[in-house]
């Protein structure tokens, strides 16, 4: 069962998230009202996923994300997946969260099904961006198509199946959705994604999506 830590400075919001997530089979292992409390709670609660607000007293969610992941790396411990859930649709929050290592970015006006789906996606190791912000990520990091011969060589190293998987990644499909679309196992999709990241020289799925859009593959 996926263990979830809820971080938000509004008690009513935390309570609402808890009801939604527990009703969907998640184990809510703790709550925190500030980023500092969240950083302290991780060692005790050992969450798989953290639903993290941005604007909070004491320490904001982006700095908390950075510290939690840095601590996990320093201790060589499993790092929780962090889903930023915020009211504010701001580019500075979005790009700072991605830079800090967040696995997803969701707006609080999303419905309960979207929240549940987002937690499942990041818990499975996928990255997720709210539909409202995906285009801005692409525009920020992929301002224009490129035609570099080295890029053509790199894409030539992808197998036909890896190219199919990359195109579906660029459509924001999860591993499970890609597996269903291509009639292959989810473990096989994960292998293809790992190979794609290695061949493209990018660090995560979001970067792979940006790369695909930048070079006209999506």
């Amino acid at each position: 069962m996926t263990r979830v830590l809820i971080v938000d400075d509004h008690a009513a919001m935390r309570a609402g998230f808890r009801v939604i997530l527990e009703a969907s089979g998640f184990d809510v292992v703790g709550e925190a009202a500030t980023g500092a409390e969240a950083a302290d709670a991780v060692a005790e609660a050992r969450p798989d996923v953290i639903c993290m607000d941005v604007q909070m007293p004491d320490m904001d969610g982006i700095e908390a994300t950075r510290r939690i992941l840095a601590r996990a790396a320093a201790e060589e411990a499993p790092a929780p997946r962090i889903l930023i859930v915020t009211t504010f649709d701001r580019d500075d929050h979005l790009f700072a969260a991605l830079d800090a290592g967040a696995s997803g970015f969701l707006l609080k006006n999303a419905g309960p099904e979207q929240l549940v789906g987002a937690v499942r996606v990041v818990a499975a190791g996928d990255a997720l961006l709210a539909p409202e912000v995906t285009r801005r990520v692409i525009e920020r990091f992929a301002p224009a198509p490129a035609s570099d011969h080295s890029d053509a060589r790199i894409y030539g190293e992808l197998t036909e199946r890896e190219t199919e998987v990359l195109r579906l990644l660029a459509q924001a499909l999860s591993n499970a959705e890609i597996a269903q679309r291509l009639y292959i196992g989810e473990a096989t999709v994960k292998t293809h994604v790992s190979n794609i990241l290695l061949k493209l020289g990018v660090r995560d799925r979001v970067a792979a999506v940006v790369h695909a859009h930048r070079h006209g593959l999506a």
Side-chain angles (χ1 to χ4, degrees):
M1 182 180 294
T2 300
R3 300 166 58 85
V4 182
L5 175 68
I6 300 171
V7 184
D8 196 290
D9 60 336
H10 292 96
M13 186 64 69
R14 296 197 305 272
F17 281 7
R18 176 182 283 273
V19 169
I20 292 169
L21 295 173
E22 289 183 339
S24 299
F26 295 104
D27 181 14
V28 177
V29 294
E31 299 179 14
T34 72
E37 287 182 13
D40 291 337
V42 168
E44 181 177 351
R46 295 180 293 106
D48 302 305
V49 175
I50 302 173
C51 292
M52 180 80 76
D53 191 15
V54 174
Q55 292 193 334
M56 296 178 289
D58 192 6
M59 181 191 298
D60 67 32
I62 292 169
E63 179 60 25
T65 295
R66 187 175 289 110
R67 293 192 185 189
I68 289 167
L69 297 181
R71 181 184 298 174
E75 297 175 353
E76 298 183 348
R81 308 283 292 180
I82 300 179
L83 173 66
I84 299 293
V85 189
T86 179
T87 303
F88 303 99
D89 183 10
R90 290 172 39 177
D91 283 0
D92 56 341
H93 287 172
L94 168 63
F95 296 117
L98 295 177
D99 183 64
S103 299
F105 190 96
L106 190 70
L107 300 180
K108 287 183 180 177
N109 62 9
E113 291 184 358
Q114 289 176 288
L115 173 64
V116 169
V119 173
R120 285 179 176 152
V121 166
V122 299
D126 294 343
L128 177 139
L129 295 176
E132 299 92 332
V133 303
T134 300
R135 173 54 54 186
R136 298 210 303 277
V137 172
I138 293 167
E139 289 173 349
R140 167 73 174 266
F141 293 111
S147 57
D148 192 299
H149 292 299
S150 63
D151 294 316
R153 178 186 58 78
I154 291 172
Y155 280 115
E157 293 178 358
L158 298 181
T159 67
E160 182 177 348
R161 181 62 90 186
E162 288 166 355
T163 302
E164 288 180 306
V165 170
L166 180 56
R167 285 198 175 100
L168 294 176
L169 281 179
Q171 296 174 32
L173 270 63
S174 67
N175 284 354
E177 291 169 330
I178 293 171
Q180 185 176 27
R181 183 76 63 89
L182 298 180
Y183 303 102
I184 58 179
E186 193 169 343
T188 302
V189 175
K190 290 182 179 180
T191 298
H192 288 317
V193 171
S194 296
N195 290 339
I196 290 166
L197 300 184
L198 180 62
K199 290 180 179 181
L200 296 185
V202 296
R203 68 178 185 178
D204 57 29
R205 296 166 66 96
V206 172
V209 169
V210 170
H211 204 289
H213 280 272
R214 174 182 292 165
H215 300 289
L217 194 64

